Amino acid sequence: CSNNSLVNIAHVYRGTFVHSTYNTALEILEDRLLGVDADGKIAFIESGREVDSLSQKWGFEASAVTHLGQHEFFMPGMVDTHIHASQYSFAGTALDMPLLQWLKKYTFPEEARFKDLGFASNVYTHVVKRTLRNGTTTACYFATIHTDASLLLGQIANDFGQRALVGKVCMDRNSFLREYKETLEESQQETTRFIGELLRKRYPLVRPVVTPRFAPSCSAMLLDHLGEIAQNNHLHIQSHISETKEEVKLVKELFPDCSSYTDVYHKHNLLTDKTVMAHGCHLTDEELKLFRETGASIAHCPNSNISLCSGMLDVRRVLNKEVKLGLGTDVAGGYSPSMLDAVRKTLATSKALTILNPEYQTLTFEEVFRLATLGGSQALSLDEQTGNFEVGKDFDALRVNTSVVGGPIDLIIHGEEPKVLLEKFLNLGDDRNIVEVYVAGRRVVPFVEKP
Ligand code: GUN
Ligand code: FE
């Protein structure tokens, strides 16, 4: 009785699956059978006890099913909604000054080096491989102002099978550096070239994202133009907003006709339901309302917010205002490229806010798990394709083995339940526990070395 004969099942996995839904922050599905079709999409997720009837219905061999071990589970791949691929090389250093000085002293000089394609290729290969190994199946990248190096980042993400949004950075003022600036015309022309060339590659999982660095680096004319390009091509948009108080003050001076920082982007048509803005630590209620109305989202980057002493985003307030929110590492303002670190710093920031106000409703680990997976996909408007184990979505998944020895403690002491194992993994695990990574059904970790 094969009513699914047109669907070709490529892989079937049996074991525990943990994920989030729109209604439930953490759903634990024990002894499930999950089938992935030849296009990498989830074809079914059913009770493992039905293996015989399912194998008949879907036409797969029961002997070909991959069985997870007792201490293993699948979780959705993590979504890094904000990472500077070009800052990876100095991650873990240079965190001794506030944002605007940090940009001038450390960041722009390092980004200038990506003019050299050999240099770019080396750094970008490290970033893509390492973030995949850390369990980042989707990354929203800032590259640099250099078009060819940014295209190379897209190619490398495609080569290693990572789902990625890639942005050529635009900045036509206030770079403070002769060797790292572009004119208005260059920025416009090169953005058009970047988008055209990247789209022509037809990489299945890699998309361009329109990337004004942030309002202080962009003239009003450039912002206007970028808003237009994004609108005409239905593209994603990313930038920074309201990260530090000093920056908010600067934006007020630079754009005296705008009522707020958010209004600057809104006036230039840069706030859409495909926009993700990093930080937002100091947004007003009115600004958050604009986010909700436009469908724009926030990338919460807690490591960076603490490391550069920028501020503490009140995630609970953002969620209560029904603004979409995902997590970001913000390398190198954030020193860690691991989304597990972003999870931990999100929880720590929420607890710091609770110390300041004991009435505060602290985020739970289940909620933060959702932000790292489904929440990130929603923030990037990719949740029709990815974010959890819903039938029809791409299979983006991490195979987590909590019995691997590594990290500061043994995760398993006495036969813990899956929920406990997930919590321990999120708080204490690392990439050694991520034994396999899948993007769109394809196993991308361990890496298959090219012949
Ligand atoms: N604002 C503008 N550029 C940057 C950057 O590279 N990192 C961070 N954290 N904030 C920014
Ligand atoms: Fe950033």
Side-chain angles (χ1 to χ4, degrees), residues 82 84 87 99-100 102-103 107-108 111 142 213-214 217 240 243 247 279 304 308 310 330-334:
H82 185 82
H84 298 261
Q87 297 173 18
L99 173 69
L100 299 177
W102 173 84
L103 286 172
T107 308
F108 294 162
E111 290 190 14
F142 273 61
R213 176 166 214 121
F214 69 155
S217 314
H240 298 86
E243 180 174 357
E247 170 205 3
H279 306 288
S304 171
L308 297 179
S310 303
D330 194 28
V331 164

PDB file of all heavy atoms in Angstrom, residues 82 84 87 99-100 102-103 107-108 111 142 213-214 217 240 243 247 279 304 308 310 330-334, ligand 1:
ATOM      1  N   HIS A  82      24.608  36.098  13.729  1.00  0.00           N
ATOM      2  CA  HIS A  82      25.500  37.257  13.555  1.00  0.00           C
ATOM      3  C   HIS A  82      26.948  36.877  13.857  1.00  0.00           C
ATOM      4  O   HIS A  82      27.329  36.695  15.013  1.00  0.00           O
ATOM      5  CB  HIS A  82      25.052  38.408  14.464  1.00  0.00           C
ATOM      6  CG  HIS A  82      25.846  39.661  14.264  1.00  0.00           C
ATOM      7  ND1 HIS A  82      25.587  40.551  13.251  1.00  0.00           N
ATOM      8  CD2 HIS A  82      26.907  40.175  14.933  1.00  0.00           C
ATOM      9  CE1 HIS A  82      26.447  41.557  13.308  1.00  0.00           C
ATOM     10  NE2 HIS A  82      27.255  41.346  14.325  1.00  0.00           N
ATOM     11  N   HIS A  84      31.108  37.751  12.341  1.00  0.00           N
ATOM     12  CA  HIS A  84      32.014  38.381  11.378  1.00  0.00           C
ATOM     13  C   HIS A  84      33.089  37.359  11.015  1.00  0.00           C
ATOM     14  O   HIS A  84      34.042  37.157  11.793  1.00  0.00           O
ATOM     15  CB  HIS A  84      32.677  39.622  11.982  1.00  0.00           C
ATOM     16  CG  HIS A  84      31.708  40.695  12.354  1.00  0.00           C
ATOM     17  ND1 HIS A  84      31.462  41.789  11.552  1.00  0.00           N
ATOM     18  CD2 HIS A  84      30.897  40.847  13.429  1.00  0.00           C
ATOM     19  CE1 HIS A  84      30.554  42.570  12.128  1.00  0.00           C
ATOM     20  NE2 HIS A  84      30.189  42.017  13.272  1.00  0.00           N
ATOM     21  N   GLN A  87      36.670  38.486  11.252  1.00  0.00           N
ATOM     22  CA  GLN A  87      37.284  38.831  12.541  1.00  0.00           C
ATOM     23  C   GLN A  87      37.733  37.589  13.308  1.00  0.00           C
ATOM     24  O   GLN A  87      38.203  37.679  14.449  1.00  0.00           O
ATOM     25  CB  GLN A  87      36.308  39.676  13.382  1.00  0.00           C
ATOM     26  CG  GLN A  87      35.980  41.027  12.731  1.00  0.00           C
ATOM     27  CD  GLN A  87      34.891  41.796  13.457  1.00  0.00           C
ATOM     28  OE1 GLN A  87      34.584  41.523  14.610  1.00  0.00           O
ATOM     29  NE2 GLN A  87      34.271  42.750  12.768  1.00  0.00           N
ATOM     30  N   LEU A  99      33.493  49.760  22.010  1.00  0.00           N
ATOM     31  CA  LEU A  99      33.204  49.471  20.599  1.00  0.00           C
ATOM     32  C   LEU A  99      33.889  50.405  19.591  1.00  0.00           C
ATOM     33  O   LEU A  99      34.630  49.933  18.721  1.00  0.00           O
ATOM     34  CB  LEU A  99      31.687  49.501  20.374  1.00  0.00           C
ATOM     35  CG  LEU A  99      31.233  49.386  18.918  1.00  0.00           C
ATOM     36  CD1 LEU A  99      31.521  47.998  18.376  1.00  0.00           C
ATOM     37  CD2 LEU A  99      29.743  49.700  18.789  1.00  0.00           C
ATOM     38  N   LEU A 100      33.629  51.702  19.697  1.00  0.00           N
ATOM     39  CA  LEU A 100      34.076  52.595  18.623  1.00  0.00           C
ATOM     40  C   LEU A 100      35.605  52.649  18.540  1.00  0.00           C
ATOM     41  O   LEU A 100      36.183  52.656  17.446  1.00  0.00           O
ATOM     42  CB  LEU A 100      33.456  53.986  18.783  1.00  0.00           C
ATOM     43  CG  LEU A 100      31.912  53.996  18.733  1.00  0.00           C
ATOM     44  CD1 LEU A 100      31.348  55.397  18.970  1.00  0.00           C
ATOM     45  CD2 LEU A 100      31.368  53.416  17.432  1.00  0.00           C
ATOM     46  N   TRP A 102      37.539  50.189  19.616  1.00  0.00           N
ATOM     47  CA  TRP A 102      37.895  48.813  19.219  1.00  0.00           C
ATOM     48  C   TRP A 102      37.842  48.661  17.692  1.00  0.00           C
ATOM     49  O   TRP A 102      38.719  48.044  17.083  1.00  0.00           O
ATOM     50  CB  TRP A 102      36.927  47.855  19.916  1.00  0.00           C
ATOM     51  CG  TRP A 102      36.997  46.415  19.549  1.00  0.00           C
ATOM     52  CD1 TRP A 102      37.853  45.468  20.054  1.00  0.00           C
ATOM     53  CD2 TRP A 102      36.147  45.726  18.630  1.00  0.00           C
ATOM     54  NE1 TRP A 102      37.588  44.243  19.500  1.00  0.00           N
ATOM     55  CE2 TRP A 102      36.542  44.358  18.618  1.00  0.00           C
ATOM     56  CE3 TRP A 102      35.086  46.107  17.812  1.00  0.00           C
ATOM     57  CZ2 TRP A 102      35.919  43.399  17.822  1.00  0.00           C
ATOM     58  CZ3 TRP A 102      34.466  45.155  17.015  1.00  0.00           C
ATOM     59  CH2 TRP A 102      34.886  43.817  17.019  1.00  0.00           C
ATOM     60  N   LEU A 103      36.805  49.230  17.096  1.00  0.00           N
ATOM     61  CA  LEU A 103      36.683  49.151  15.629  1.00  0.00           C
ATOM     62  C   LEU A 103      37.895  49.803  14.965  1.00  0.00           C
ATOM     63  O   LEU A 103      38.508  49.236  14.051  1.00  0.00           O
ATOM     64  CB  LEU A 103      35.410  49.869  15.153  1.00  0.00           C
ATOM     65  CG  LEU A 103      34.079  49.169  15.404  1.00  0.00           C
ATOM     66  CD1 LEU A 103      32.911  50.091  15.052  1.00  0.00           C
ATOM     67  CD2 LEU A 103      33.980  47.876  14.609  1.00  0.00           C
ATOM     68  N   THR A 107      39.789  46.349  14.561  1.00  0.00           N
ATOM     69  CA  THR A 107      38.923  45.660  13.618  1.00  0.00           C
ATOM     70  C   THR A 107      39.145  46.095  12.169  1.00  0.00           C
ATOM     71  O   THR A 107      39.342  45.247  11.292  1.00  0.00           O
ATOM     72  CB  THR A 107      37.448  45.885  14.034  1.00  0.00           C
ATOM     73  OG1 THR A 107      37.337  45.532  15.417  1.00  0.00           O
ATOM     74  CG2 THR A 107      36.516  45.026  13.217  1.00  0.00           C
ATOM     75  N   PHE A 108      39.098  47.398  11.928  1.00  0.00           N
ATOM     76  CA  PHE A 108      39.264  47.853  10.550  1.00  0.00           C
ATOM     77  C   PHE A 108      40.644  47.470   9.981  1.00  0.00           C
ATOM     78  O   PHE A 108      40.730  46.997   8.849  1.00  0.00           O
ATOM     79  CB  PHE A 108      38.984  49.358  10.441  1.00  0.00           C
ATOM     80  CG  PHE A 108      37.536  49.737  10.734  1.00  0.00           C
ATOM     81  CD1 PHE A 108      37.206  51.049  11.047  1.00  0.00           C
ATOM     82  CD2 PHE A 108      36.512  48.793  10.692  1.00  0.00           C
ATOM     83  CE1 PHE A 108      35.879  51.414  11.320  1.00  0.00           C
ATOM     84  CE2 PHE A 108      35.196  49.139  10.973  1.00  0.00           C
ATOM     85  CZ  PHE A 108      34.877  50.450  11.285  1.00  0.00           C
ATOM     86  N   GLU A 111      40.397  43.795   9.041  1.00  0.00           N
ATOM     87  CA  GLU A 111      39.521  43.570   7.876  1.00  0.00           C
ATOM     88  C   GLU A 111      40.186  44.043   6.586  1.00  0.00           C
ATOM     89  O   GLU A 111      39.937  43.475   5.510  1.00  0.00           O
ATOM     90  CB  GLU A 111      38.162  44.261   8.092  1.00  0.00           C
ATOM     91  CG  GLU A 111      37.312  43.584   9.160  1.00  0.00           C
ATOM     92  CD  GLU A 111      35.871  44.084   9.230  1.00  0.00           C
ATOM     93  OE1 GLU A 111      35.407  44.769   8.293  1.00  0.00           O
ATOM     94  OE2 GLU A 111      35.201  43.792  10.237  1.00  0.00           O
ATOM     95  N   PHE A 142      29.055  38.450   8.214  1.00  0.00           N
ATOM     96  CA  PHE A 142      29.658  39.675   7.693  1.00  0.00           C
ATOM     97  C   PHE A 142      31.015  39.257   7.126  1.00  0.00           C
ATOM     98  O   PHE A 142      31.771  38.552   7.811  1.00  0.00           O
ATOM     99  CB  PHE A 142      29.930  40.689   8.807  1.00  0.00           C
ATOM    100  CG  PHE A 142      28.786  41.605   9.144  1.00  0.00           C
ATOM    101  CD1 PHE A 142      27.583  41.097   9.601  1.00  0.00           C
ATOM    102  CD2 PHE A 142      28.921  42.988   9.018  1.00  0.00           C
ATOM    103  CE1 PHE A 142      26.529  41.952   9.938  1.00  0.00           C
ATOM    104  CE2 PHE A 142      27.884  43.849   9.356  1.00  0.00           C
ATOM    105  CZ  PHE A 142      26.685  43.334   9.808  1.00  0.00           C
ATOM    106  N   ARG A 213      27.281  48.392   7.221  1.00  0.00           N
ATOM    107  CA  ARG A 213      27.966  48.001   8.478  1.00  0.00           C
ATOM    108  C   ARG A 213      27.164  48.455   9.701  1.00  0.00           C
ATOM    109  O   ARG A 213      26.813  47.637  10.534  1.00  0.00           O
ATOM    110  CB  ARG A 213      29.365  48.605   8.515  1.00  0.00           C
ATOM    111  CG  ARG A 213      30.046  48.314   9.798  1.00  0.00           C
ATOM    112  CD  ARG A 213      31.513  48.578   9.814  1.00  0.00           C
ATOM    113  NE  ARG A 213      32.050  47.560  10.701  1.00  0.00           N
ATOM    114  CZ  ARG A 213      32.948  46.657  10.383  1.00  0.00           C
ATOM    115  NH1 ARG A 213      33.503  46.673   9.206  1.00  0.00           N
ATOM    116  NH2 ARG A 213      33.304  45.729  11.241  1.00  0.00           N
ATOM    117  N   PHE A 214      26.918  49.724   9.812  1.00  0.00           N
ATOM    118  CA  PHE A 214      25.987  50.330  10.770  1.00  0.00           C
ATOM    119  C   PHE A 214      25.860  51.792  10.399  1.00  0.00           C
ATOM    120  O   PHE A 214      26.675  52.309   9.621  1.00  0.00           O
ATOM    121  CB  PHE A 214      26.357  50.082  12.233  1.00  0.00           C
ATOM    122  CG  PHE A 214      27.576  50.741  12.820  1.00  0.00           C
ATOM    123  CD1 PHE A 214      27.666  50.966  14.196  1.00  0.00           C
ATOM    124  CD2 PHE A 214      28.658  51.128  12.041  1.00  0.00           C
ATOM    125  CE1 PHE A 214      28.778  51.552  14.779  1.00  0.00           C
ATOM    126  CE2 PHE A 214      29.780  51.713  12.608  1.00  0.00           C
ATOM    127  CZ  PHE A 214      29.838  51.926  13.972  1.00  0.00           C
ATOM    128  N   SER A 217      28.740  54.286   9.798  1.00  0.00           N
ATOM    129  CA  SER A 217      29.677  54.049   8.680  1.00  0.00           C
ATOM    130  C   SER A 217      29.062  54.316   7.324  1.00  0.00           C
ATOM    131  O   SER A 217      29.736  54.103   6.319  1.00  0.00           O
ATOM    132  CB  SER A 217      30.159  52.601   8.636  1.00  0.00           C
ATOM    133  OG  SER A 217      30.531  52.138   9.868  1.00  0.00           O
ATOM    134  N   HIS A 240      24.063  46.514  12.380  1.00  0.00           N
ATOM    135  CA  HIS A 240      24.141  46.633  13.833  1.00  0.00           C
ATOM    136  C   HIS A 240      23.220  47.757  14.279  1.00  0.00           C
ATOM    137  O   HIS A 240      23.036  48.727  13.538  1.00  0.00           O
ATOM    138  CB  HIS A 240      25.560  46.989  14.280  1.00  0.00           C
ATOM    139  CG  HIS A 240      26.589  45.964  13.934  1.00  0.00           C
ATOM    140  ND1 HIS A 240      27.231  45.930  12.714  1.00  0.00           N
ATOM    141  CD2 HIS A 240      27.093  44.932  14.657  1.00  0.00           C
ATOM    142  CE1 HIS A 240      28.097  44.918  12.707  1.00  0.00           C
ATOM    143  NE2 HIS A 240      28.032  44.299  13.868  1.00  0.00           N
ATOM    144  N   GLU A 243      24.067  49.266  19.979  1.00  0.00           N
ATOM    145  CA  GLU A 243      24.932  48.333  20.718  1.00  0.00           C
ATOM    146  C   GLU A 243      25.463  49.012  21.984  1.00  0.00           C
ATOM    147  O   GLU A 243      25.476  48.406  23.052  1.00  0.00           O
ATOM    148  CB  GLU A 243      26.067  47.892  19.782  1.00  0.00           C
ATOM    149  CG  GLU A 243      27.065  46.922  20.358  1.00  0.00           C
ATOM    150  CD  GLU A 243      28.055  46.438  19.305  1.00  0.00           C
ATOM    151  OE1 GLU A 243      27.912  46.813  18.117  1.00  0.00           O
ATOM    152  OE2 GLU A 243      28.970  45.671  19.672  1.00  0.00           O
ATOM    153  N   GLU A 247      27.395  54.994  20.839  1.00  0.00           N
ATOM    154  CA  GLU A 247      27.020  54.845  19.428  1.00  0.00           C
ATOM    155  C   GLU A 247      25.633  55.455  19.175  1.00  0.00           C
ATOM    156  O   GLU A 247      25.417  56.139  18.166  1.00  0.00           O
ATOM    157  CB  GLU A 247      27.033  53.341  19.095  1.00  0.00           C
ATOM    158  CG  GLU A 247      26.465  52.942  17.768  1.00  0.00           C
ATOM    159  CD  GLU A 247      25.967  51.495  17.782  1.00  0.00           C
ATOM    160  OE1 GLU A 247      26.028  50.838  18.845  1.00  0.00           O
ATOM    161  OE2 GLU A 247      25.499  51.021  16.733  1.00  0.00           O
ATOM    162  N   HIS A 279      22.562  43.154  18.256  1.00  0.00           N
ATOM    163  CA  HIS A 279      22.651  43.816  19.574  1.00  0.00           C
ATOM    164  C   HIS A 279      21.333  44.415  20.073  1.00  0.00           C
ATOM    165  O   HIS A 279      20.630  43.780  20.829  1.00  0.00           O
ATOM    166  CB  HIS A 279      23.798  44.829  19.607  1.00  0.00           C
ATOM    167  CG  HIS A 279      25.101  44.241  19.199  1.00  0.00           C
ATOM    168  ND1 HIS A 279      25.788  43.372  19.995  1.00  0.00           N
ATOM    169  CD2 HIS A 279      25.812  44.333  18.038  1.00  0.00           C
ATOM    170  CE1 HIS A 279      26.878  42.973  19.383  1.00  0.00           C
ATOM    171  NE2 HIS A 279      26.917  43.535  18.191  1.00  0.00           N
ATOM    172  N   SER A 304      29.709  39.274  23.127  1.00  0.00           N
ATOM    173  CA  SER A 304      30.212  40.565  22.671  1.00  0.00           C
ATOM    174  C   SER A 304      29.723  41.693  23.568  1.00  0.00           C
ATOM    175  O   SER A 304      30.486  42.594  23.938  1.00  0.00           O
ATOM    176  CB  SER A 304      29.752  40.769  21.228  1.00  0.00           C
ATOM    177  OG  SER A 304      30.015  42.064  20.786  1.00  0.00           O
ATOM    178  N   LEU A 308      32.800  43.694  25.319  1.00  0.00           N
ATOM    179  CA  LEU A 308      33.104  45.092  24.971  1.00  0.00           C
ATOM    180  C   LEU A 308      32.391  46.063  25.925  1.00  0.00           C
ATOM    181  O   LEU A 308      32.371  47.263  25.674  1.00  0.00           O
ATOM    182  CB  LEU A 308      32.707  45.384  23.523  1.00  0.00           C
ATOM    183  CG  LEU A 308      33.447  44.607  22.419  1.00  0.00           C
ATOM    184  CD1 LEU A 308      32.918  44.981  21.043  1.00  0.00           C
ATOM    185  CD2 LEU A 308      34.949  44.866  22.471  1.00  0.00           C
ATOM    186  N   SER A 310      29.301  46.625  26.360  1.00  0.00           N
ATOM    187  CA  SER A 310      28.354  47.420  25.569  1.00  0.00           C
ATOM    188  C   SER A 310      27.015  47.595  26.273  1.00  0.00           C
ATOM    189  O   SER A 310      26.375  48.640  26.141  1.00  0.00           O
ATOM    190  CB  SER A 310      28.109  46.735  24.220  1.00  0.00           C
ATOM    191  OG  SER A 310      29.316  46.556  23.522  1.00  0.00           O
ATOM    192  N   ASP A 330      28.847  36.941  17.270  1.00  0.00           N
ATOM    193  CA  ASP A 330      29.499  38.230  16.993  1.00  0.00           C
ATOM    194  C   ASP A 330      31.011  38.169  17.144  1.00  0.00           C
ATOM    195  O   ASP A 330      31.632  39.102  17.660  1.00  0.00           O
ATOM    196  CB  ASP A 330      28.916  39.360  17.866  1.00  0.00           C
ATOM    197  CG  ASP A 330      29.330  40.738  17.367  1.00  0.00           C
ATOM    198  OD1 ASP A 330      29.579  40.883  16.155  1.00  0.00           O
ATOM    199  OD2 ASP A 330      29.414  41.673  18.187  1.00  0.00           O
ATOM    200  N   VAL A 331      31.614  37.067  16.702  1.00  0.00           N
ATOM    201  CA  VAL A 331      33.086  37.048  16.605  1.00  0.00           C
ATOM    202  C   VAL A 331      33.497  38.283  15.807  1.00  0.00           C
ATOM    203  O   VAL A 331      32.881  38.601  14.796  1.00  0.00           O
ATOM    204  CB  VAL A 331      33.510  35.759  15.843  1.00  0.00           C
ATOM    205  CG1 VAL A 331      34.949  35.861  15.357  1.00  0.00           C
ATOM    206  CG2 VAL A 331      33.289  34.519  16.706  1.00  0.00           C
ATOM    207  N   ALA A 332      34.486  39.093  16.272  1.00  0.00           N
ATOM    208  CA  ALA A 332      35.368  38.880  17.386  1.00  0.00           C
ATOM    209  C   ALA A 332      35.064  39.801  18.559  1.00  0.00           C
ATOM    210  O   ALA A 332      35.806  39.793  19.529  1.00  0.00           O
ATOM    211  CB  ALA A 332      36.809  39.098  16.935  1.00  0.00           C
ATOM    212  N   GLY A 333      33.959  40.598  18.475  1.00  0.00           N
ATOM    213  CA  GLY A 333      33.524  41.325  19.661  1.00  0.00           C
ATOM    214  C   GLY A 333      33.180  40.307  20.736  1.00  0.00           C
ATOM    215  O   GLY A 333      33.448  40.484  21.918  1.00  0.00           O
ATOM    216  N   GLY A 334      32.572  39.192  20.284  1.00  0.00           N
ATOM    217  CA  GLY A 334      32.418  38.011  21.129  1.00  0.00           C
ATOM    218  C   GLY A 334      33.630  37.127  20.881  1.00  0.00           C
ATOM    219  O   GLY A 334      34.007  36.918  19.731  1.00  0.00           O
TER     220      GLY A 334
HETATM  221  N1  GUN B   1      29.353  47.862  14.822  1.00  0.00           N
HETATM  222  C1  GUN B   1      29.861  48.173  13.607  1.00  0.00           C
HETATM  223  N2  GUN B   1      30.769  47.275  13.222  1.00  0.00           N
HETATM  224  C2  GUN B   1      30.850  46.360  14.195  1.00  0.00           C
HETATM  225  C3  GUN B   1      31.624  45.173  14.371  1.00  0.00           C
HETATM  226  O1  GUN B   1      32.423  44.775  13.528  1.00  0.00           O
HETATM  227  N3  GUN B   1      31.429  44.490  15.535  1.00  0.00           N
HETATM  228  C4  GUN B   1      30.546  44.900  16.484  1.00  0.00           C
HETATM  229  N4  GUN B   1      30.412  44.192  17.586  1.00  0.00           N
HETATM  230  N5  GUN B   1      29.825  46.015  16.347  1.00  0.00           N
HETATM  231  C5  GUN B   1      29.976  46.729  15.215  1.00  0.00           C
END
